[in-house]
């Protein structure tokens, strides 16, 4: 039969395509991950992440102001800790005068309305490069949760809007929520890395923070005993549901593009915002292919971000945040 419905009528030109477009994308959807280093006027390139740098605090503030002017409303903070401050228990992580705590205070002083979400995990502070405390060659859960709770409280006291536990320890959201409540931080939220997979996409990030697991016979060589098996789907949903039950305000899926099926299922299951982390390896692949002329950088960047948003992301943590915001603002 001659078609009564011609779907191409709604694709005739950009005006009609934009009018019926199901998904929108704006700088307000982005969170900018930032790497902070000790020193002054420091800007160290990360070779595996072209265009991304470790900045000292003074330059970090300049970057935050620039991001705010572009319409980006949130930053996710990671710090490069000196080897001399690392140990097995991560004690530097809750130092009230530590680099992370200084950074939180400085950002909130400079741009008070910027949402600051510091990372909560021990790997930048660990001599072993793991997200928790190692005993007898194993990462122990409950002592790590105690350390993460102290770390989260120090972030809240410094002025963080949300704490962002990325460690994947069991029960840490509940412990952190209780501690925040008991200490009067009722309005400090938790963005939990709920479905964080043991992924090979994290390599460049570990270059940025020098936080890869150490290669030692007595230490786990990977993070598969706490990060999730990438073959699993239902487990990710269960993790998100548990975190919401324990008090998470936002749940996160990490990595991004390769895990959009998980994003959609979690979005359809929970009733809190879902964040997605487009991680360092995903960023680096686009940069590398574009540098070789194999892909159109800007088109791929925007397409991937739209796909993440379409899958159900309320927040996209992405190293493309500033570049994408510049493009979208045009």
């Amino acid at each position: 039969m001659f078609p009564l419905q011609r779907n191409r009528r709604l694709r005739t030109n950009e005006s009609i395509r934009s009018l019926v477009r199901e998904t929108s994308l704006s700088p307000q959807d982005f969170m900018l991950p930032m790497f902070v280093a000790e020193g002054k006027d420091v800007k160290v390139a990360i070779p595996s992440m072209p265009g991304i740098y470790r900045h000292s605090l003074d330059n970090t503030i300049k970057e935050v102001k620039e991001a705010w002017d572009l319409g980006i409303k949130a930053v996710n903070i990671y710090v490069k800790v000196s080897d001399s401050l690392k140990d097995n228990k991560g004690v530097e992580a809750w130092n009230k005068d530590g680099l992370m705590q200084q950074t939180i205070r400085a950002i909130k002083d400079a741009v008070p309305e910027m949402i600051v979400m510091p990372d909560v995990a021990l790997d930048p502070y660990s001599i072993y490069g793991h997200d928790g405390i190692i005993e007898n060659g194993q990462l122990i859960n409950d002592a790590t949760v105690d350390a993460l709770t102290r770390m989260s409280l120090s972030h809240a006291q410094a002025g963080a809007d949300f704490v962002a536990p990325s460690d994947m320890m069991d029960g840490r959201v509940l412990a952190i929520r209780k501690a925040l409540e008991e200490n009067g931080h009722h309005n400090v939220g938790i963005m939990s890395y709920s479905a964080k997979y043991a992924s090979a996409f994290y390599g460049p990030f570990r270059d940025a923070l020098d936080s890869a697991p150490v290669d030692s016979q007595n230490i786990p060589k990977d993070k598969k005993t706490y990060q999730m098996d990438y073959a699993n789907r239902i487990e990710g949903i269960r993790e998100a549901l548990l975190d919401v039950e324990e008090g998470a305000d936002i749940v996160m899926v990490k990595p991004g593009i390769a895990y959009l099926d998980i994003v959609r299922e979690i979005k359809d299951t929970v009733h809190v915002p879902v964040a997605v982390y487009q991680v360092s390896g995903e960023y680096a692949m686009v940069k590398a292919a574009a540098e070789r002329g194999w892909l159109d950088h800007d088109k791929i960047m925007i397409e991937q971000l739209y796909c993440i948003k379409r899958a159900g992301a309320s927040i996209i943590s992405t190293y493309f945040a500033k570049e994408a915001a510049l493009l979208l603002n045009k």
Side-chain angles (χ1 to χ4, degrees):
M1 292 179 62
F2 192 82
L4 298 178
Q5 291 293 331
R6 292 182 181 268
N7 292 332
R8 288 182 58 193
R9 294 181 190 127
L10 300 181
R11 305 173 195 151
T12 304
N13 53 50
E14 178 56 23
S15 294
I16 188 61
R17 290 194 296 271
S18 63
L19 192 64
V20 300
R21 189 164 289 143
E22 299 172 29
T23 303
S24 61
L25 188 70
S26 78
Q28 287 78 14
D29 296 319
F30 303 147
M31 176 164 58
L32 177 63
M34 305 186 75
F35 301 117
V36 186
E38 296 281 3
K40 188 174 182 181
D41 197 24
V42 172
K43 182 179 181 180
V44 178
I46 301 166
S48 55
M49 300 176 69
I52 303 299
Y53 301 86
R54 287 197 299 263
H55 289 286
S56 54
L57 187 49
D58 52 339
N59 286 334
T60 296
I61 296 305
K62 294 176 184 176
E63 289 286 303
V64 170
K65 289 179 177 179
E66 183 179 330
W68 180 263
D69 290 341
L70 288 170
I72 298 165
K73 306 298 184 184
V75 290
N76 193 197
I77 305 300
Y78 302 86
V79 294
K80 170 70 170 66
V81 178
S82 167
D83 287 347
S84 65
L85 297 174
K86 295 182 180 183
D87 59 25
N88 184 31
K89 295 185 177 180
V91 173
E92 178 64 16
W94 54 87
N95 177 1
K96 65 182 179 65
D97 296 317
L99 181 58
M100 177 67 86
Q101 291 76 4
Q102 292 180 48
T103 302
I104 295 167
R105 288 192 291 267
I107 293 173
K108 294 305 292 184
D109 286 344
V111 189
E113 293 183 70
M114 180 66 85
I115 300 298
V116 179
M117 298 192 185
D119 179 59
V120 176
L122 296 186
D123 50 327
Y125 303 90
S126 169
I127 55 175
Y128 299 121
H130 276 283
D131 292 31
I133 298 169
I134 301 291
E135 285 187 7
N136 300 319
Q138 301 293 324
L139 190 147
I140 56 173
N141 193 92
D142 295 0
T144 296
V145 169
D146 291 341
L148 298 171
T149 300
R150 297 182 70 173
M151 185 178 183
S152 297
L153 273 176
S154 77
H155 292 177
Q157 290 160 358
D161 299 283
F162 284 75
V163 293
S166 64
D167 55 284
M168 291 298 289
M169 297 300 111
D170 293 330
R172 92 277 207 212
V173 172
L174 180 59
I176 291 169
R177 186 70 266 163
K178 282 184 174 180
L180 292 172
E181 295 296 324
E182 289 169 0
N183 287 273
H185 299 293
H186 311 298
N187 293 324
V188 175
I190 299 174
M191 180 182 71
S192 174
Y193 289 56
S194 298
K196 181 178 180 179
Y197 287 83
S199 171
F201 283 108
Y202 304 149
F205 176 93
R206 291 169 184 169
D207 292 343
L209 293 185
D210 188 24
S211 62
V214 300
D215 187 8
S216 170
Q217 186 175 357
N218 299 320
I219 303 299
K221 292 181 174 58
D222 55 43
K223 302 187 177 186
K224 292 181 179 180
T225 66
Y226 47 102
Q227 294 178 357
M228 288 177 48
D229 185 340
Y230 54 68
N232 294 351
R233 176 181 61 86
I234 294 171
E235 184 184 7
I237 299 168
R238 184 168 71 246
E239 288 279 5
L241 286 170
L242 282 171
D243 283 356
V244 172
E245 186 177 334
E246 291 182 11
D249 302 280
I250 301 167
V251 295
M252 177 181 276
V253 177
K254 181 181 180 182
I257 288 296
Y259 294 80
L260 295 187
D261 59 324
I262 309 300
V263 176
R264 172 43 57 188
E265 293 224 41
I266 289 177
K267 180 68 171 181
D268 289 343
T269 303
V270 303
H271 300 290
V272 299
V274 176
V276 173
Y277 201 145
Q278 186 184 32
V279 299
S280 58
E282 296 173 291
Y283 172 88
M285 288 193 301
V286 173
K287 290 292 183 181
E291 284 175 0
R292 288 159 176 77
W294 296 342
L295 295 173
D296 184 306
H297 177 278
D298 290 353
K299 288 181 179 178
I300 289 292
M301 173 181 69
I302 294 298
E303 180 179 345
Q304 288 196 351
L305 293 169
Y306 260 101
C307 291
I308 294 170
K309 183 77 182 294
R310 186 194 65 223
S314 302
I315 302 165
I316 305 172
S317 184
T318 175
Y319 301 98
F320 287 118
K322 288 171 62 180
E323 290 177 277
L326 281 166
L327 201 59
L328 291 169
N329 287 339
K330 292 179 181 178

